[in-house]
Amino acid sequence: MQELIQSQKIMDDERKQVILEILADKYCKLILHNTLEKPKSAMEISSEKKIPISTVYRRLQTLYDAKLLAISGSINQDGKKYFLYKSKVKSISLKCDLEITSIELVPNSSRVD
């Protein structure tokens, strides 16, 4: 049985600009790809992708603000907050003809909220 994949078309020009900036940032793309299959902590992302931890935290905030990243959290046995990050998008399609830019997002179906 085929799964129907629904994409979301981005209409807001400001949101389009944010997504274009994210696509131009190698760290944002690495983080989205790294968190596609399962939620990961900032430390896991940093060590697996060799990205400085401060850069990881900045990019996580950027991706969360753009609604491309989900955050789930819990408190560990030491009473410390523990956050996991997961990509909300499976792919981003872009078409630009110099007059109109169209962007479509395909949601990550393995998403855990």
Side-chain angles (χ1 to χ4, degrees):
M1 189 168 159
Q2 260 187 350
E3 181 182 332
L4 180 64
I5 299 174
Q6 289 212 278
S7 63
Q8 175 190 4
K9 203 169 216 165
I10 305 301
M11 304 304 287
D12 179 55
D13 287 337
E14 193 173 316
R15 181 135 193 254
K16 284 181 188 179
Q17 185 61 39
V18 168
I19 291 172
L20 288 172
E21 289 170 12
I22 285 169
L23 290 174
D25 185 289
K26 69 177 182 177
Y27 295 126
C28 285
K29 290 192 299 186
L30 277 172
I31 291 168
L32 286 174
H33 184 264
N34 190 251
T35 60
L36 194 56
E37 296 299 320
K38 69 174 198 151
K40 296 187 179 177
S41 70
M43 291 301 289
E44 286 175 304
I45 296 166
S46 176
S47 66
E48 289 174 11
K49 292 300 175 184
K50 308 292 188 255
I51 305 171
I53 191 67
S54 59
T55 302
V56 169
Y57 278 115
R58 281 194 304 274
R59 295 316 192 279
L60 288 171
Q61 187 63 52
T62 298
L63 292 167
Y64 179 75
D65 291 345
K67 298 178 177 63
L68 299 177
L69 198 69
I71 301 175
S72 60
S74 61
I75 299 174
N76 67 12
Q77 294 150 342
D78 299 337
K80 293 182 182 175
K81 291 180 183 175
Y82 186 78
F83 294 104
L84 296 175
Y85 305 90
K86 179 123 171 80
S87 175
K88 289 173 116 178
V89 292
K90 185 175 188 174
S91 67
I92 300 172
S93 298
L94 168 68
K95 182 181 176 194
C96 182
D97 66 8
L98 301 180
E99 185 180 344
I100 298 172
T101 300
S102 58
I103 298 176
E104 288 190 40
L105 305 177
V106 175
N108 186 358
S109 59
S110 68
R111 199 169 83 193
V112 178
D113 287 334

